[in-house]
């Protein structure tokens, strides 16, 4: 039958042969497949395209707003105050005013002790004291009506930084400055616009532009710890663990040289196949921390140090709780502690892998004023880098054995609860008593 066009004229042309028709159908199918494949490659980039070490490293991701933070277990990582958000970024913003010279910018100067060269406070004790001074500055001593202050430290010698080759002999030898402001921006002590506290609980005129801390060892303990952040509600309405971890993260930001050194040590010590969710952290604090020690020049003992068998028993409890545990990270400043602990552990739990801080200085004390005595073995910088490497190593664990009254061990657990590599944290405190730090370490809040 003849086919006509809509105009009534006959259609002219050759009918398609079956072979040509099949070729057209196959061509259309191939084009569709190519389009789908190209779209998939564009929409889904490789999951791990930032491995600069040419190693297959296990990664752990934490979501942060619209981005994913990838962290390798055997290399350096630290939260960014500028971009992390939460309390950490709030602290950063409070410490970085737009105009440091403005009369409306008020300061709280954290003074060194009168006998600063004999100050034996170690790393975690210094971080804790700095946190308390910073809360005092932000709340202006529980009186927030007149606005907060910027915390800045003086430029006197810190014993741990004696002989520093990377900056001044202050905390800035190792850590980034607390603020973008300079000590030259504050008012001198003898000016009418400045006041000096006689004691930690001393009252003062909140209208003065510059306030100097007392020369006493203990800082003022502020009750209002969160109103400076502009979060609504009472202080108890917000996580004190998150707040404390944020202050630790801010105060312990290593300078580039120290970051590089910690990274080098981590790569040497942490196996690339470590799974933080299956690891127990055992930071053993002994030596000058124990009652009855005979280490001259160190701080007096303040802890009834538990036998190492109790550390092993705590690890056994964790292993019974989670049979998938396969690794134990153990560190100590006491050179005798780790070998004894490992020997006891191998008897009871021989299948667990033991991870140590390779090349750890193990200086035998945590007291700042005592470190220089080890100058013939290691420099102050080596001791600090080694100690902070141990801190970073334990962030790669999920389960922790700590001791009350050791700011070092409890700070590790508190920090790990917020910024650690495992999704949640469990803590056994084998200390003989309880305090606020150990409470946060054990159960958060």
């Amino acid at each position: 039958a003849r086919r006509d066009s809509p105009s009534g004229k006959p259609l002219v042309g050759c009918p398609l042969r079956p072979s040509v028709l099949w070729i057209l159908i196959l061509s259309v199918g191939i084009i569709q497949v190519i389009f789908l494949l190209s779209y998939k490659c564009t929409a889904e980039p490789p999951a791990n395209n930032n491995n600069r070490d040419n190693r297959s490293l296990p990664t752990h991701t934490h979501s942060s707003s619209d981005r994913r933070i990838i962290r390798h277990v055997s290399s350096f990582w630290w939260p960014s105050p500028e971009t992390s958000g939460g309390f950490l970024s709030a602290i950063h913003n409070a410490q970085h005013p737009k105009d440091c010279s403005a009369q409306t910018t008020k300061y709280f100067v954290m003074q060194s002790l009168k006998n600063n060269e004999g100050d034996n406070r170690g790393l975690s004790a210094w971080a804790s004291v700095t946190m308390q001074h910073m809360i005092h500055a932000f709340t202006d001593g529980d009186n927030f009506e007149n606005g907060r202050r910027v915390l800045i430290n003086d430029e006197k010698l810190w014993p741990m930084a004696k002989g520093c080759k990377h900056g001044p002999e202050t905390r800035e030898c190792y850590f980034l400055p607390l603020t973008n402001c300079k000590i030259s921006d504050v008012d001198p002590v003898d000016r009418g616009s400045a006041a000096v506290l006689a004691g930690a609980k001393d009252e003062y005129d909140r209208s003065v532009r510059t306030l100097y801390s007392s020369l006493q060892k203990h800082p003022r303990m502020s009750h209002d710890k969160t109103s400076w952040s502009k979060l609504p509600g009472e202080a108890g309405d917000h996580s004190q663990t998150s707040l404390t971890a944020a202050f630790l993260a801010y105060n312990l930001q290593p300078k580039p040289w120290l970051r590089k050194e910690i990274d080098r040590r981590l790569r040497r010590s942490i196996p690339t196949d470590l799974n933080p969710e299956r690891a127990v952290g055992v930071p053993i604090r002994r030596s000058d921390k124990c009652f009855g020690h005979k280490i001259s020049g160190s701080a007096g003992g303040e802890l009834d140090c538990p036998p190492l068998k109790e550390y092993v028993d705590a690890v056994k409890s964790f292993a019974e709780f989670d049979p998938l545990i396969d690794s134990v990270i153990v560190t100590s400043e006491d050179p005798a502690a780790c070998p004894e602990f490992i020997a006891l552990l191998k008897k009871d739990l021989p299948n667990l892998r033991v991870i140590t801080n390779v090349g750890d200085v193990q200086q035998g004390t945590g007291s700042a004023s005592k470190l220089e005595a080890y100058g013939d073995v290691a420099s102050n910088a080596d001791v600090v880098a080694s100690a902070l490497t141990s801190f970073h190593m334990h962030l790669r664990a999920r389960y922790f054995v700590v001791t009350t009254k050791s700011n070092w061990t409890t700070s590790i657990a508190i920090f790990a609860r917020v910024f650690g590599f495992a999704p949640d944290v469990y803590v056994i405190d084998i200390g003989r008593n309880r305090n606020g730090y150990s409470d946060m370490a054990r159960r958060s809040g």
Side-chain angles (χ1 to χ4, degrees):
R2 188 181 71 179
R3 294 181 295 165
D4 295 333
S5 68
S7 63
K9 295 181 180 181
L11 290 169
V12 181
C14 298
L16 290 175
R17 296 179 181 178
S19 59
V20 175
L21 184 62
W22 278 110
I23 291 173
L24 286 174
I25 293 173
L26 287 173
S27 299
V28 172
I30 291 172
I31 292 172
Q32 289 178 327
V33 171
I34 292 173
F35 173 78
L36 290 173
L37 288 174
S38 64
Y39 175 79
K40 181 174 175 120
C41 290
T42 304
E44 299 180 11
N48 186 13
N49 60 358
N50 64 345
N51 185 0
R52 300 177 181 176
D53 306 311
N54 296 319
R55 299 189 289 170
S56 177
L57 300 178
T59 60
H60 293 259
T61 59
H62 275 214
S63 61
S64 179
S65 63
D66 60 345
R67 67 190 184 281
R68 290 167 68 80
I69 301 173
I70 299 178
R71 306 185 289 178
H72 294 152
V73 294
S74 61
S75 60
F76 179 90
W77 180 87
W78 197 255
S80 167
E82 293 91 342
T83 61
S84 292
F87 281 127
L88 181 54
S89 289
I91 295 169
H92 172 83
N93 295 335
Q95 284 291 104
H96 287 75
K98 293 181 179 179
D99 186 355
C100 294
S101 62
Q103 288 301 304
T104 53
T105 302
K106 301 166 68 177
Y107 292 97
F108 184 31
V109 181
M110 180 173 64
Q111 295 196 98
S112 301
L113 299 183
K114 189 174 183 179
N115 178 24
N116 59 301
E117 293 196 24
D119 190 350
N120 53 31
R121 290 175 293 184
L123 286 170
S124 55
W126 257 84
S128 177
V129 168
T130 303
M131 177 183 73
Q132 298 302 333
H133 279 312
M134 194 169 281
I135 294 175
H136 181 178
F138 289 175
T139 65
D140 207 2
D142 284 324
N143 194 334
F144 191 65
E145 287 76 10
N146 292 323
R148 60 194 178 205
R149 298 177 181 273
V150 173
L151 182 70
I152 189 169
N153 56 280
D154 64 20
E155 297 178 337
K156 292 184 179 180
L157 170 74
W158 181 34
M160 273 192 171
K162 184 176 286 188
C164 177
K165 298 179 181 179
H166 306 279
E169 292 182 322
T170 67
R171 67 172 299 282
E172 275 76 38
C173 174
Y174 306 110
F175 306 109
L176 296 182
L178 293 174
T179 175
N180 59 317
C181 301
K182 307 298 181 184
I183 198 70
S184 57
D185 292 314
V186 311
D187 301 285
V189 175
D190 56 358
R191 292 280 180 87
S193 52
V196 182
L197 295 178
K201 298 181 180 180
D202 193 23
E203 283 303 321
Y204 57 93
D205 181 2
R206 261 67 175 186
S207 67
V208 297
R209 181 171 179 265
T210 302
L211 178 69
Y212 288 79
S213 73
S214 73
L215 300 178
Q216 295 180 353
K217 195 169 189 176
H218 299 290
R220 184 186 188 122
M221 302 298 289
S222 301
H223 300 289
D224 181 358
K225 292 180 170 57
T226 58
S227 65
W228 61 269
S229 68
K230 299 181 180 179
L231 282 174
E234 303 295 329
D237 294 334
H238 307 289
S239 171
Q240 298 303 299
T241 303
S242 295
L243 180 67
T244 302
F247 277 115
L248 288 170
Y250 189 81
N251 292 330
L252 297 177
Q253 297 177 78
K255 294 181 75 171
W257 77 265
L258 183 54
R259 179 177 302 198
K260 182 178 179 180
E261 179 63 20
I262 293 172
D263 181 76
R264 183 183 71 82
R265 292 169 181 262
L266 285 173
R267 292 177 185 274
R268 186 170 56 177
S269 302
I270 297 292
T272 58
D273 63 345
L274 174 70
N275 182 353
E277 297 181 23
R278 303 289 176 247
V280 181
V282 185
I284 302 174
R285 181 72 173 91
R286 297 178 78 77
S287 63
D288 63 321
K289 197 70 173 178
C290 302
F291 287 136
H293 77 76
K294 303 186 183 303
I295 303 173
S296 62
S298 291
E302 57 182 2
L303 179 65
D304 183 9
C305 291
L308 292 176
K309 182 66 167 61
E310 292 191 22
Y311 286 88
V312 175
D313 290 342
V315 175
K316 289 170 63 177
S317 296
F318 277 136
E320 292 173 0
F321 173 69
D322 182 357
L324 296 179
I325 287 174
D326 58 21
S327 300
V328 176
I329 302 170
V330 57
T331 63
S332 179
E333 89 292 343
D334 188 335
C338 286
E340 183 181 342
F341 169 84
I342 293 172
L344 293 171
L345 183 72
K346 287 299 183 183
K347 289 181 180 178
D348 292 343
L349 298 167
N351 294 326
L352 292 185
R353 173 173 59 177
V354 177
I355 299 169
T356 60
N357 183 351
V358 177
D360 194 358
V361 174
Q362 294 184 315
Q363 69 280 2
T365 181
S367 298
S369 58
K370 180 66 176 175
L371 298 187
E372 62 186 88
Y374 295 87
D376 57 336
V377 179
S379 66
N380 282 354
D382 289 331
V383 173
V384 171
S386 183
L388 289 175
T389 298
S390 294
F391 188 100
H392 281 253
M393 288 178 65
H394 287 296
L395 300 183
R396 278 88 174 147
R398 184 182 197 180
Y399 304 96
F400 293 91
V401 183
V402 304
T403 49
T404 314
K405 284 199 171 183
S406 167
N407 276 354
W408 178 253
T409 66
T410 51
S411 292
I412 288 171
I414 290 170
F415 197 92
R417 284 193 176 279
V418 180
F419 298 113
F421 281 60
D424 59 347
V425 165
Y426 299 83
V427 174
I428 294 177
D429 183 357
I430 60 173
R432 304 292 191 241
N433 47 30
R434 296 288 182 265
N435 57 25
Y437 246 47
S438 69
D439 289 345
M440 281 191 284
R442 288 195 322 276
R443 59 174 184 260
S444 188

